[in-house]
Structures are given as structure tokens and as C-alpha cells.
Amino acid sequence: MNCYVSLLFLLGLAPLCPCHTDMTNSKMHEMKQPLQSHMRAKRTWVWHNFFVQEELTVTEQPVGRLRSNLDKGDASLIYLLSGDGAGSIFIIDNRTGDITAIKKLDREEKAYYKLRAQVLNVNTGKPVEPESEFVIKVLDINDNKPQFLDGPYETCIPEMSPEGTSVIQVTATDNDDPSYGNNARLIYTLLQGRPYFTVEPTTGILRISSQMDREAKDQYLVVVQATDMLGLPGGLSGTTTVTINLSDVNDNRPIFQLGLYHMNVSESAPIGTSIGIIMAEDSDIGENAKMNYSIEDGSHIFDIITNNETQEGIVVLKKKLDYEQQRQYSVRAKVTNSFIDEYFPKDENSGQTTIIKIRVEDADEPPVFSHLEYLMEVAEETPFGSYVGSVFARDPDVTNSPIRYSVVGCSLFSIDDNGTIIITERLDREMAAWYNLTITATEENNSQQVSEAQVYVQVLNVNDHAPEFFQYYETYVCEKANPGELIQTISAVDRDASVEDHRFSFNLSTEATSNLSFTVRDNQDNTAGILTSRSGFSRQEQPVFYLPILISDNEIPSLTIFIFMILGLKQGQKQALFPEKCEEFRENIVTYDDEGGGEEDTEAFDIAALRTRTVMRTKKTRKNITTEIRSLYRQSLQVGPDSAVFKEFILAKLEEANTDPCAPPFDSLQTYAFEGTGSLAGSLSSLESSISDLDQNFDYLTELGPRFKKLASMYCSRVHTKN
């Protein structure tokens, strides 16, 4: 059986707005053509779309009718509806197939609904046609106004930007159907912001239409409106605001508040003193308002320092002032921006200048010396009260106060009110060759005003010291010495200063010209040699010789010193009995820090190797040569002009021995049973001496340093205890 479905689109009861009339008619015509073209003999259902208008407020809105070609109108068939909104939004008349919307629809919530329709036989309950699916579309109406979802807007642009500069783009959205009429087609306009801004109607781009100065106004509020329906009457609209801030550019140069500044400064002000402040104003802000101050005329007396916090110019003193020389100054100050904007010409930042008048105020100043330093000379041994030199100071002020002078911290010199310096004691160049004096000058009218000057006094040399031996000499001559043999080379020193090099001459005194044992040979180089003039010396006959020597310097007047030189005799050493074993014997010598077991202590080495045969010695009285020479030397110290010199030589020699790590330990006592067969000296052991400790004075041991400390404690304390 062939059947067909008759579809009818109902426009509804509510009248449509004029803008939808044509669209509705076109839709109806669009619907009728498919109905006719899709009718087929073998198909009873024809699928098509239904349309329903949104936002209608009627209770029931007819949507369309479903009808089978098998329906004879005898109520034998019923129509059923299922799918989206079936029963809740859309209902169907089971007998007629009319579909009705029972709720108000909103296209922005749901734009279409899919439903299914079926025809059943009332008597059998079975479908007489296959189930068919169709769509109900919701027609859009202009019920949504444009919205700026990203608004309100805020942006920033540089001031003085050129016309046409893009500022920002605003965008509005419309929830209406963009494919259905002009409901969602928008146009942008300005409600506020002219004449400085314009907006492109279709893009919403905001542009500058006139240059703006931030210093005049730094913020603008623009209102933009978006209207749908292409701005035609009846269209809906929405608005947003755009806050536009102007950023600063360096288009203003700093300007001084005053064209002339007056300042005062005391002549006593130290360098670096702040004199006053100048201030310029710049309408710009931030980095563009930073300034630099300078002295335009290159003054070497004043300077300007820029305070980066307050942008003030601080005028400071660069050089000391003198009221008596100049009482007023006029300088030109200049101010410029620290940063120059590349968009503006350089002449815009050429800077502005102002005049600063600075008046110098008079102050009570301390005295001023004619020189900061003085150099003077005076000969040593000059009698006290002698003139040394003079200084001069004056009061630089108009009052010209009298000056008092004084010497600080030195009693060897004095100064009077005229600045004349004299000596109060005799000076010795060898004690001090220079004196550094501090002279003060004080105003009589104001004792607080004091100044100082340095006076350097050089003590000139006078030949007041005789030559001296360069060092202490220990001179010995061998008993077997031949005539003309050099036994000692001596030299001399002089504590006096010499314009030229010192020249010393050496001679025997007239008392020693008859001496036939020794002669003195002047080497003409400040040294002299002592030579033997004979042979046949004997220690037994005369162990010590006294040689008076005259040493003269080359100063005017020449000074001569008369010195006794003491010469001692030494016995010649015989050939060793065992020359081939000398090295072995020396290797067997052991050093002790304390005394051993005496002559019975032979464990260190084989003492038998030293003995050739047993020799019995007779006890002989030992002649104390060392004590005698020391006594003679002490007597010679009394001959010289200053025994301290000789003592200095002795102490230097002693110190040299004490600090020498290779020197033997003098506080170590070693005894030997034999000094060698055939020795003319006899035994050197003090144990065989008939002279007891009480016969000798060992006090000198305490003066010979730490190496003799042990012996000094032993002998000196023992003698004192026995005494």
C-alpha cells in the first residue's frame, strides 16, 4: 500500500516582527518544494525540518502536523512522539498529528531538537508506518545585546604620540545567531573621547586623532559603544570604558626658579663647606626629571653638587677664601637634564643658566707664617745664647694683632717676640745632628688664634773627637818571629763628620822611638801595620810589650790620640808526634754540656793512644799570663781619652762569640793528663797549679756573657763564700 506524509508548517498565532516576515515566507516556500519533490510511491514518511520561533510568550505555539496517507479520518490510527523534549516541551495530538510547543524556547540555550514520530493501528497496536526522525529548529530573534567580555580596558601610551597611532582594540560579542540576518553584526562608535580619539567602526581599534601633553592632562576616559543590526534602528547596544594613561617623555627642560641667587660664606670656611642651594623645576617625571648642575664659567673656587634625591644643586667651597683679597664673587650656574630623549632635538636640552652672587664675610684668622718650613744651621759646641735664625708671622686680619712666639717641646732652643731663635745649651752633633722644632705664633688680642711652622736645625760638625781604633785588637807575636814580620794591621775611625773622606796617619810616639822591638808602617789608606824589628823574643823574659801609637786626623785643627797597644807573646807549636793520626784523634773528641769524671774519665776515647811513654812531671807554679794581660789592658783603657770605646770593642767581640753557634762551649771543663811530651809550656791543667782559687779574682767572669755563666757561678760564689 502506498502512502505519504503530509507536513504542514504553521507560523504560529503570534505576529512576527517585520524583519522576520520575509525570512518566514522564504522558509515556507522552502518547505513546500521538498514536500512535493520528496513524495515517493514506496515511502510513507518524508523527513523534514520544523521551525519554531524563540521567546514567544503564548501558552501553546503550534509547530507543525504529522499525517500519514493511510489516515482515512476514521480514528483508526494514532500518532506517537518521542525524542528531545517530547512530552515536556513538545506534545502531539494523537488523532490529528498536530505538534505544539508548550514552553517558551531560547535559541541561545538550545538551537534545535531531534524527535521521532510513529503511527500505530488503534485496533492492533502495531505500527502501520516505519518510525521517522525529524528536527525542530528554533528561529533566532534579536534578543541579545552586544557585550565587551574583556572590559573595562586600561592602557598607556607616550605623550605627544602622533595622530593615527593605534591605542588599543576593543571587541564585543553578540549571542544571537550570526548566520540569521543582522542580529549579530556589530558597529563600534565613541560616546566619549573626542576629539583626541577615534574608533574604527568594524574593527573596534582605538586611534589617536590629536596629540596630547601629559603635563596638561595625564589620563583620559573613553566610552565605546557596540550596536548590532549594523547600527540600524531597533538594534541592541552595549558599552565599555577605556582608561588611557599618558606616559612621560622628556619634552620639557629644567627651569630655575630664580634668575639671581645671593649667598654668604665666611673666609674661614674649610674646603667642602656647603654655601647654599639652588633649585630648578622640570615638569617631566621620573628619569626625565633628573638634572645636573654645573658652574658654566669653570670657576676653580666654587663647585655645585647635584642631590639626586631632591634634585637640588648644592654650592660648595672648592678653594680657601681670603676676605682681604676678594670680598665678592659672581658665578654662572647651569642646569641640564641627565637623560636626553632621542625623539626631541638636542637644543631642547641646551640647559638654562642663573647667576649666583657670593659675598665673603670677614673672620678672625690665625697668624700666617712667611714660610711653612724653615731650614737653619748652627755649629756644635756653639756657646748658649748664640743666634740660630728667625721666623716671621703676621695677623692677616685688618686688626693686625701683635704676635707672640714659642718653641714647643724642646728646651735646647728659645725664641723671643721678634721671632729670633737662640740656643740655650751647647749642642753636640754626635748626639743629634738635626733638630725638628715646632714654632707657634699666637695673636695677643685673641689667644685662640694659633698657627704653627716647622723649623729644621742642622748641627754643623766641629772636629772635637779624636780618632779611635776601629775595633779591639788582640795582638800576639810568636817567639820565633823574624825581623820585618807583619803581626797586626790596625785601622781607625772618627765620630766627627768630614767634608772629605777621613785620612788618618799612624806613628809611634816619641817615647817609643827607642823601642827596637816593633815599628809602625802607615799604609796611607787609613790602616797601618805593626811589624817586628828584631827576632829572639822570649816569653819567659818578657811576655808583654807596650806600644804607644799616635793617630791623627786630617781635620783643621787636627786631633791626635795616644793609645797603648798591648802585645803578648805566643809559644811556637812543635810538630805533632803522630801527624798521620791527627784526624783520627780529632774525630774522637766528644763535647759535653757538663763536667765529666775528670782525668779518670777515659771512656770517650782510648787515651793510651795519646801516650808515648810515661813521663813524670814535677809540679811547677803556673804563671797567670791571662790575668796579667787583662790587668795591663785595663790600665791601657785609662790611657785613652774615653775608655768606653775600648769596652765597646770588647763587648762587641764577646757578643760575636756568644752568638756564634760554631764556637766551643766555654763553660765546659775538659782536663787532659798530658799536653804532649817535650812541651815547654808544661801542664795547662789547673788541677796541678799551686795557685789556689783564692789567689785569683774571678769577678770578670760575670761580665763575659751567658757562656761563662756556669764558671762565674762556680768560682765567684765559691770565693765569696770562703771570704
Side-chain angles (χ1 to χ4, degrees):
M1 179 179 64
N2 295 328
C3 62
Y4 65 93
V5 178
S6 174
L7 300 178
L8 178 63
F9 175 66
L10 301 180
L11 299 181
L13 300 178
L16 299 177
C17 63
C19 63
H20 290 102
T21 303
D22 295 337
M23 183 61 67
T24 304
N25 293 335
S26 63
K27 290 291 182 180
M28 292 177 62
H29 179 69
E30 194 177 51
M31 290 171 53
K32 291 179 181 180
Q33 290 181 351
L35 285 176
Q36 298 176 359
S37 61
H38 287 80
M39 290 182 181
R40 298 178 182 179
K42 293 183 179 181
R43 183 176 176 84
T44 58
W45 288 95
V46 179
W47 179 91
H48 204 279
N49 293 336
F50 289 90
F51 296 90
V52 60
Q53 191 171 8
E54 67 170 338
E55 300 295 342
L56 288 181
T57 58
V58 295
T59 305
E60 295 183 354
Q61 178 184 179
V63 177
R65 173 179 293 179
L66 295 177
R67 188 168 182 81
S68 174
N69 56 358
L70 299 179
D71 190 354
K72 303 300 183 180
D74 55 0
S76 61
L77 301 177
I78 59 175
Y79 297 90
L80 299 179
L81 187 65
S82 63
D84 293 343
S88 59
I89 299 177
F90 303 101
I91 59 175
I92 189 170
D93 189 332
N94 293 337
R95 297 296 182 180
T96 62
D98 293 333
I99 300 175
T100 303
I102 60 176
K103 287 186 178 181
K104 185 171 65 172
L105 303 179
D106 188 351
R107 189 201 67 84
E108 286 71 39
E109 293 183 1
K110 193 172 181 65
Y112 62 91
Y113 297 86
K114 290 183 179 181
L115 295 99
R116 294 181 300 278
Q118 195 172 30
V119 181
L120 301 177
N121 187 292
V122 175
N123 297 322
T124 62
K126 295 182 179 180
V128 296
E129 296 285 349
E131 188 179 57
S132 178
E133 184 179 84
F134 62 97
V135 176
I136 299 177
K137 291 186 176 180
V138 182
L139 295 178
D140 182 54
I141 64 172
N142 191 18
D143 60 340
N144 291 280
K145 65 180 181 179
Q147 294 181 344
F148 293 91
L149 300 181
D150 297 330
Y153 298 86
E154 185 172 3
T155 187
C156 183
I157 59 172
E159 64 171 329
M160 306 304 294
S161 296
E163 296 180 7
T165 301
S166 175
V167 179
I168 195 174
Q169 183 177 15
V170 297
T171 302
T173 58
D174 194 322
N175 292 331
D176 291 325
D177 189 355
S179 63
Y180 187 77
N182 296 325
N183 292 347
R185 299 182 65 181
L186 307 179
I187 293 295
Y188 297 94
T189 57
L190 285 185
L191 298 183
Q192 179 179 318
R194 296 185 181 90
Y196 300 106
F197 302 96
T198 59
V199 64
E200 293 182 357
T202 57
T203 63
I205 296 177
L206 203 63
R207 297 185 181 275
I208 293 176
S209 58
S210 179
Q211 285 189 329
M212 292 162 286
D213 188 0
R214 188 202 64 82
E215 287 72 36
K217 187 177 181 180
D218 60 356
Q219 189 180 79
Y220 293 83
L221 184 64
V222 178
V223 179
V224 182
Q225 177 178 268
T227 306
D228 59 16
M229 298 296 292
L230 295 178
L232 297 175
L236 303 178
S237 62
T239 61
T240 188
T241 59
V242 181
T243 302
I244 301 173
N245 299 307
L246 299 183
S247 62
D248 184 62
V249 296
N250 194 7
D251 58 341
N252 295 278
R253 66 178 182 176
I255 299 175
F256 280 108
Q257 298 177 356
L258 300 175
L260 178 64
Y261 290 84
H262 293 277
M263 300 179 184
N264 299 326
V265 59
S266 173
E267 65 170 336
S268 62
I271 295 176
T273 299
S274 174
I275 301 175
I277 295 176
I278 60 176
M279 182 68 181
E281 291 183 348
D282 193 326
S283 300
D284 297 320
I285 59 175
E287 296 290 327
N288 297 326
K290 290 188 176 181
M291 295 172 277
N292 284 330
Y293 296 90
S294 61
I295 300 295
E296 191 177 37
D297 56 4
S299 173
H300 61 283
I301 301 178
F302 304 97
D303 196 6
I304 297 182
I305 301 174
T306 303
N307 187 330
N308 294 325
E309 298 294 332
T310 62
Q311 298 301 309
E312 297 174 332
I314 304 173
V315 183
V316 297
L317 187 61
K318 192 176 180 182
K319 187 178 179 181
K320 289 288 292 181
L321 301 174
D322 191 346
Y323 173 83
E324 286 70 29
Q325 292 185 359
Q326 187 170 348
R327 302 184 179 184
Q328 186 169 335
Y329 294 87
S330 178
V331 296
R332 183 182 296 273
K334 183 179 181 180
V335 61
T336 57
N337 277 126
S338 301
F339 302 95
I340 301 176
D341 200 308
E342 60 181 354
Y343 297 103
F344 293 90
K346 293 184 178 180
D347 56 0
E348 291 291 333
N349 193 38
S350 58
Q352 192 193 29
T353 61
T354 187
I355 301 298
I356 305 175
K357 297 288 186 180
I358 302 175
R359 186 173 64 88
V360 181
E361 297 176 343
D362 188 22
D364 191 3
E365 301 175 88
V368 178
F369 280 92
S370 58
H371 299 86
L372 295 178
E373 297 178 351
Y374 295 85
L375 178 61
M376 302 177 184
E377 296 177 348
V378 61
E380 64 175 331
E381 301 300 334
T382 301
F384 67 91
S386 299
Y387 173 81
V388 178
S390 61
V391 298
F392 175 73
R394 65 175 183 86
D395 182 7
D397 298 319
V398 180
T399 56
N400 194 19
S401 172
I403 304 299
R404 298 195 313 269
Y405 301 95
S406 61
V407 180
V408 179
C410 184
S411 61
L412 300 178
F413 301 86
S414 65
I415 188 172
D416 58 18
D417 291 341
N418 295 323
T420 301
I421 301 175
I422 61 174
I423 60 174
T424 58
E425 296 182 17
R426 289 181 180 270
L427 305 179
D428 187 354
R429 191 202 66 83
E430 286 69 36
M431 297 297 294
W434 286 89
Y435 291 92
N436 301 333
L437 306 180
T438 299
I439 307 298
T440 61
T442 307
E443 292 183 7
E444 289 188 358
N445 297 339
N446 186 357
S447 60
Q448 301 299 321
Q449 298 299 331
V450 181
S451 58
E452 295 181 351
Q454 299 299 317
V455 176
Y456 305 104
V457 180
Q458 182 182 14
V459 182
L460 302 179
N461 181 64
V462 174
N463 191 21
D464 57 347
H465 290 85
E468 303 167 354
F469 271 143
F470 176 72
Q471 65 182 37
Y472 166 69
Y473 295 102
E474 294 179 355
T475 306
Y476 298 91
V477 60
C478 184
E479 289 180 327
K480 296 181 179 181
N482 297 319
E485 183 175 334
L486 178 64
I487 62 172
Q488 181 71 57
T489 299
I490 60 176
S491 61
V493 293
D494 193 335
R495 289 190 292 169
D496 291 322
S498 177
V499 178
E500 301 178 355
D501 293 337
H502 283 292
R503 295 294 180 186
F504 302 108
S505 60
F506 301 85
N507 297 285
L508 284 176
S509 67
T510 56
E511 300 174 359
T513 54
S514 59
N515 185 355
L516 301 178
S517 299
F518 304 95
T519 60
V520 174
R521 182 181 64 196
D522 194 338
N523 297 328
Q524 303 299 319
D525 60 355
N526 290 343
T527 64
I530 300 177
L531 299 88
T532 59
S533 58
R534 67 178 180 86
S535 61
F537 294 96
S538 174
R539 187 168 179 268
Q540 299 295 334
E541 296 178 0
Q542 185 176 354
V544 178
F545 292 86
Y546 305 100
L547 190 63
I549 300 176
L550 295 177
I551 306 176
S552 302
D553 58 22
N554 61 336
E555 299 294 332
I556 301 175
S558 176
L559 292 183
T560 302
I561 186 172
F562 177 75
I563 300 178
F564 271 114
M565 189 164 187
I566 305 171
L567 294 87
L569 291 180
K570 291 196 300 184
Q571 289 181 339
Q573 296 180 355
K574 291 188 176 183
Q575 185 177 4
L577 297 178
F578 305 97
E580 70 282 356
K581 295 186 178 181
C582 288
E583 293 298 328
E584 297 180 5
F585 295 159
R586 280 195 292 269
E587 291 177 357
N588 286 332
I589 295 177
V590 179
T591 301
Y592 297 92
D593 290 336
D594 55 2
E595 292 77 12
E599 297 177 355
E600 296 179 359
D601 187 1
T602 59
E603 295 181 0
F605 55 88
D606 187 5
I607 197 169
L610 298 177
R611 299 176 177 173
T612 57
R613 64 181 183 275
T614 304
V615 178
M616 298 302 293
R617 294 173 180 263
T618 58
K619 294 185 179 180
K620 297 180 181 180
T621 302
R622 186 182 65 173
K623 192 172 184 180
N624 196 341
I625 302 298
T626 304
T627 306
E628 184 177 356
I629 293 177
R630 185 177 304 278
S631 176
L632 292 174
Y633 173 70
R634 290 173 179 170
Q635 296 176 10
S636 68
L637 293 179
Q638 300 175 1
V639 177
D642 189 356
S643 61
V645 177
F646 294 94
K647 289 183 178 179
E648 181 180 352
F649 290 153
I650 295 174
L651 293 178
K653 196 74 174 181
L654 182 60
E655 179 64 22
E656 180 181 351
N658 289 338
T659 57
D660 186 1
C662 299
F666 294 107
D667 56 351
S668 176
L669 178 62
Q670 299 180 5
T671 61
Y672 300 90
F674 296 92
E675 282 69 43
T677 303
S679 174
L680 298 177
S683 175
L684 299 180
S685 174
S686 61
L687 300 178
E688 298 180 3
S689 174
S690 60
I691 302 176
S692 65
D693 293 341
L694 296 177
D695 298 331
Q696 301 184 48
N697 185 3
F698 294 98
D699 290 342
Y700 65 88
L701 292 176
T702 60
E703 303 176 359
L704 298 183
R707 297 195 179 214
F708 294 90
K709 182 178 180 181
K710 185 70 174 180
L711 291 176
S713 63
M714 292 171 56
Y715 285 88
C716 295
S717 61
R718 184 186 306 171
V719 173
H720 294 164
T721 302
K722 292 181 179 180
N723 290 338

